[in-house]
Amino acid sequence: MNRKLRFGMIGGGRGAFIGGVHRIAAQLDNQAELVAGAFSSDAERSRVSGEDFFLDPKRVYASYEEMARVEAAMPADRRLDFVVIVTPNHQHFGPAKLFLESGFNVVCDKPVTFDLAQAKQLQAIVRKSKKVFMLTHTYTGNAMVKQARALVAAGKLGKIRKVVVEYPQGWLATRLEASDQKQAAWRTDPKRSGAAGAIGDIGTHAANLAAYVTGLKISELCADLTAFVPGRKLDDDGAILLRFHGGAKGILHASQICVGEENNLSLRVYGEKAGLEWKQEHPNELVVKYPDKPAETWRRGNSYVGDEAKGATRIPGGHPEGYFEAFANIYREAFRAIAAEVAGKKAPANLDFPTIDDGVEGMQFIEATVLSSKRGARWVKFPAVT
């Protein structure tokens, strides 16, 4: 294409954290520009958010339904190429369905929908529409996560035996939702978050990261979920045992009541020949461990890393890259597919971004985890059969 992609945003207006992240990431490579939005369910908030972003007032909408109707009627040289959905979980399905059926590509925050039934319905809509659907599992965009994946795929670790993935946070160690903290309020509300709290919010990230790096699929799981904070309706802590197809076993821990922790996502993978460790708070490093020689610390930006990591590296070694760059990397991959779709061409080979299928797996993970815990931490098949 000889122009930037045009996108609109649903949610993410004034005061929203994740909306700003998406706007920065989507525009970091100068391949896309924000031209429209329904930035809030409150029409006035949407309007002033459009002013913040210096948008044409005629393309700032009071609702996503109005946005879909007006934008679909735009001439080809003005209409949107894709939309970005950055609302709470219960408000994902409606706009995703409408915009896909109106002929637009879609980028959506995770988890993909409110429940598994919606996710499966949306999966069918995506396939029928033949549009691009990208889910923002951010951490798969990190260069050294891609290096870890390449090492596993090349057999450098040997057959995988053990996977340990942890995502502790501490920001919900008190009943923050009782204050005016909107991020806490919707994440702890079953009417907006869905069946799970911490497991839905960050446990899905942990499960997706483990699957992305190892290529392993869960066969069974055993979960113990707890709401430690009095009065909280959804889990704020979870411990899950995993069994994978092929014989590997794993442990997944996700918690938002670990006092003092910030965003300490980490992954350890152990095979017959070697192990590796990656930590989100130190994303530029990958530690590779051996039984008969010292551990190696691989660093992003060096000549010895593989092509996958090099392709996700933006600046020379020693200059730290992290969250925004990882986000931008998955956007950049999605743009390859969206640009091809807009041009009526076949999608490029070897695309590397999370899709609706990852979204369905995430909802299956939530469902199975909640079911196992309700049954007294009993093993359940994955996907769960209720």
Side-chain angles (χ1 to χ4, degrees):
M1 294 183 67
N2 59 358
R3 64 169 176 83
K4 294 181 182 180
L5 294 169
R6 297 180 288 265
F7 75 96
M9 180 167 280
I10 301 163
R14 181 179 286 186
F17 155 67
I18 200 64
V21 172
H22 276 266
R23 287 188 290 274
I24 291 169
Q27 298 174 101
L28 192 60
D29 290 296
N30 208 31
Q31 295 183 23
E33 60 180 333
L34 177 69
V35 299
F39 298 104
S40 173
S41 56
D42 180 280
E44 177 61 15
R45 181 178 289 273
S46 183
R47 184 189 68 79
V48 297
S49 296
E51 290 181 351
D52 292 344
F53 310 140
F54 303 100
L55 299 184
D56 180 350
K58 293 180 180 179
R59 298 186 81 170
V60 179
Y61 301 97
S63 70
Y64 74 81
E65 293 91 345
E66 179 192 13
M67 178 175 162
R69 175 176 53 80
V70 175
E71 292 293 330
M74 289 264 185
D77 63 347
R78 294 195 66 212
R79 77 191 304 265
L80 297 175
D81 297 309
F82 68 99
V83 296
V84 178
I85 301 171
V86 287
T87 56
N89 303 352
H90 71 299
Q91 295 175 335
H92 288 180
F93 177 77
K97 177 179 184 294
L98 179 58
F99 276 88
L100 286 165
E101 292 178 339
S102 300
F104 296 96
N105 302 293
V106 172
V107 173
C108 185
D109 250 2
K110 46 57 57 195
V112 67
T113 51
F114 182 73
D115 57 28
L116 179 57
Q118 286 185 348
K120 289 182 175 179
Q121 187 178 347
L122 191 60
Q123 185 182 49
I125 293 169
V126 171
R127 290 174 177 171
K128 182 179 180 180
S129 72
K130 301 188 186 305
K131 297 296 177 179
V132 177
F133 186 96
M134 191 262 274
L135 189 70
T136 51
H137 273 299
T138 317
Y139 305 108
T140 62
N142 280 277
M144 298 315 284
V145 168
K146 294 185 183 300
Q147 180 64 59
R149 185 190 196 201
L151 291 175
V152 172
K156 299 299 184 182
L157 275 64
K159 184 178 180 181
I160 302 304
R161 292 171 167 170
K162 190 77 172 182
V163 181
V164 181
V165 59
E166 301 172 284
Y167 203 153
Q169 297 175 338
W171 72 291
L172 287 176
T174 62
R175 201 160 182 265
L176 190 60
E177 60 267 33
S179 68
D180 292 330
Q181 223 281 8
K182 293 182 178 180
Q183 296 296 320
W186 77 257
R187 282 178 168 83
T188 57
D189 180 1
K191 294 180 180 179
R192 290 181 283 176
S193 184
I199 289 300
D201 189 22
I202 59 176
T204 50
H205 268 312
N208 177 263
L209 179 65
Y212 180 80
V213 170
T214 67
L216 298 176
K217 298 291 186 181
I218 299 169
S219 61
E220 294 180 278
L221 60 77
C222 175
D224 181 18
L225 307 185
T226 306
F228 276 105
V229 175
R232 184 163 287 162
K233 297 178 180 180
L234 293 174
D235 60 276
D236 49 30
D237 181 85
I240 305 168
L241 296 176
L242 305 171
R243 293 173 180 164
F244 297 96
H245 291 285
K249 296 190 176 182
I251 301 169
L252 187 152
H253 166 233
S255 179
Q256 292 175 316
I257 51 86
C258 292
V259 174
E261 297 288 356
E262 295 178 353
N263 208 57
N264 198 11
L265 171 63
S266 67
L267 174 69
R268 286 172 282 162
V269 181
Y270 302 99
E272 294 176 339
K273 297 191 293 185
L276 59 79
E277 181 174 8
W278 179 82
K279 295 183 176 182
Q280 193 276 148
E281 292 185 349
H282 303 279
N284 294 267
E285 296 181 351
L286 175 68
V287 178
V288 184
K289 305 174 182 180
Y290 304 96
D292 55 356
K293 60 180 179 179
E296 299 172 348
T297 300
W298 296 39
R299 290 186 55 84
R300 179 210 55 81
N302 286 285
S303 61
Y304 53 74
V305 302
D307 291 341
E308 296 86 353
K310 288 176 180 175
T313 296
R314 295 169 173 275
I315 52 180
H319 300 80
E321 291 185 8
Y323 189 63
F324 284 123
E325 292 86 355
F327 229 115
N329 284 339
I330 61 172
Y331 259 108
R332 186 170 59 187
E333 279 294 291
F335 288 165
R336 295 173 61 209
I338 292 171
E341 191 281 328
V342 171
K345 297 180 180 179
K346 184 178 179 180
N350 302 319
L351 290 168
D352 185 12
F353 62 86
T355 69
I356 184 62
D357 295 335
D358 295 285
V360 170
E361 286 189 10
M363 297 311 300
Q364 289 171 333
F365 173 76
I366 292 171
E367 181 180 82
T369 299
V370 171
L371 177 63
S372 172
S373 187
K374 284 182 176 179
R375 290 181 175 177
R378 297 183 63 181
W379 286 96
V380 299
K381 298 291 185 182
F382 187 87
V385 178
T386 57

